[in-house]
């Protein structure tokens, strides 16, 4: 799941897509109403690609959890964040049995479902594609095998040293990311479960 360029801004509802970088800010577009607004380094910004869910073992990246939901729902919408909390908790427990119930608050659980459906409805929920190297490697291997078979079938007297061929594989370009000043507020990078608003925990 590719969540590059998708951010959440504390105090502002919904999610935003990074559009461009200004002189002292970044311009983002709301996934709710498509309005563009500036976001500054002083804003509390979290890149969804950096968010993980606390578990009793290794934390689960949000993008991986969204991939599980996408597969489970066959690419369709999942439960609404407005559904009964116990129903949401049961669903999360089914797809992530070892999530940390003490550190993942009810507001966090609701955001998982809200964000997934928001990304899906806005067309920004994209499954990661296979690396270009893997795609290019298969044809190259078949071509090499065919060349070896042809060489073996040719008369020995006509065999000539074959010129070595170097199969060049395209390397994927680095995807754009939100500017560090915006995506990572001053004070050092922090690993968070989800962006928490309003403080406290709801049960």
């Amino acid at each position: 799941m590719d969540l590059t360029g998708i951010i959440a801004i504390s105090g502002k509802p919904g999610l935003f897509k990074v559009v461009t970088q200004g002189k002292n800010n970044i311009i983002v577009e709301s996934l709710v109403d498509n309005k563009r607004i500036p976001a500054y380094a002083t804003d509390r910004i979290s890149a969804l690609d950096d968010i993980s869910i606390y578990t009793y073992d290794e934390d689960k990246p949000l993008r991986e959890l969204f991939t599980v939901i996408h597969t489970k729902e066959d690419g369709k919408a999942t439960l609404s964040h407005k559904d009964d909390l116990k129903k949401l908790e049961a669903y999360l427990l089914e797809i992530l049995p070892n999530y940390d119930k003490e550190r993942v608050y009810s507001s966090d659980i609701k955001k998982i479902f809200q964000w997934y459906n928001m990304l899906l409805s806005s067309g920004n929920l994209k499954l990661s594609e296979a690396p270009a190297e893997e795609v290019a490697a298969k044809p190259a291997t078949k071509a090499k095998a065919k060349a070896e078979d042809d060489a073996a079938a040719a008369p020995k007297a006509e065999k000539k040293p074959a010129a070595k061929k170097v199969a060049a594989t395209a390397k994927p370009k680095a995807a754009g990311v939100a500017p560090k000043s915006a995506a990572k507020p001053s004070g050092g990078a922090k690993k968070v479960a989800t962006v928490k608003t309003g403080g406290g925990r709801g049960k």
Side-chain angles (χ1 to χ4, degrees):
M1 190 68 66
D2 185 7
L3 300 178
T4 303
I6 306 297
I7 64 172
I9 305 176
S10 182
K12 298 184 185 300
L15 294 173
F16 300 85
K17 178 169 60 177
V18 177
V19 177
T20 187
Q21 182 173 4
K23 186 175 181 181
N24 298 310
N25 56 33
I26 57 173
I27 304 302
V28 299
E29 182 178 281
S30 171
L31 300 190
V32 177
D33 55 17
N34 297 323
K35 289 184 179 180
R36 295 188 177 186
I37 61 171
Y40 302 90
T42 53
D43 291 323
R44 292 180 58 190
I45 296 174
S46 296
L48 264 62
D49 203 40
D50 294 334
I51 294 177
S52 295
I53 307 302
Y54 290 123
T55 75
Y56 294 115
D57 301 308
E58 293 184 359
D59 296 343
K60 183 81 167 180
L62 186 62
R63 61 179 178 274
E64 292 183 12
L65 189 61
F66 281 173
T67 299
V68 173
I69 297 175
H70 189 273
T71 301
K72 178 178 173 60
E73 300 297 341
D74 197 23
K76 298 177 182 178
T78 186
L79 299 177
S80 168
H81 65 287
K82 295 180 180 180
D83 284 339
D84 183 74
L85 180 59
K86 291 188 180 298
K87 190 176 180 180
L88 299 179
E89 290 175 337
Y91 188 105
L92 182 59
L93 192 62
E94 182 181 346
I95 61 175
L96 190 62
N98 62 336
Y99 85 87
D100 192 330
K101 299 178 182 63
E102 296 298 319
R103 294 196 291 172
V104 179
Y105 303 149
S106 58
S107 58
D108 300 329
I109 295 175
K110 290 180 179 180
K111 280 181 180 175
I112 291 173
F113 293 93
Q114 181 184 22
W115 288 355
Y116 175 88
N117 287 327
M118 189 178 296
L119 288 166
L120 182 67
S121 62
S122 64
N124 287 282
L125 198 61
K126 302 174 183 177
L127 292 174
S128 301
E129 296 180 357
E133 289 88 349
E134 292 182 11
V135 177
K138 292 181 181 179
T141 301
K142 289 182 180 179
K144 182 179 178 182
K146 186 177 184 304
E148 289 176 352
D149 291 341
D150 292 343
K156 293 183 179 180
E158 296 180 6
K159 278 188 177 179
K160 294 182 181 180
K164 292 184 179 180
K165 295 182 180 180
V166 180
T169 56
K171 295 184 178 179
K173 295 181 180 180
V177 296
K180 292 182 179 179
S181 61
K184 296 182 180 179
S186 58
K190 268 191 173 181
K191 192 169 195 179
V192 296
T194 52
V195 184
K196 304 176 180 60
T197 59
R201 53 191 295 179
K203 284 289 182 181

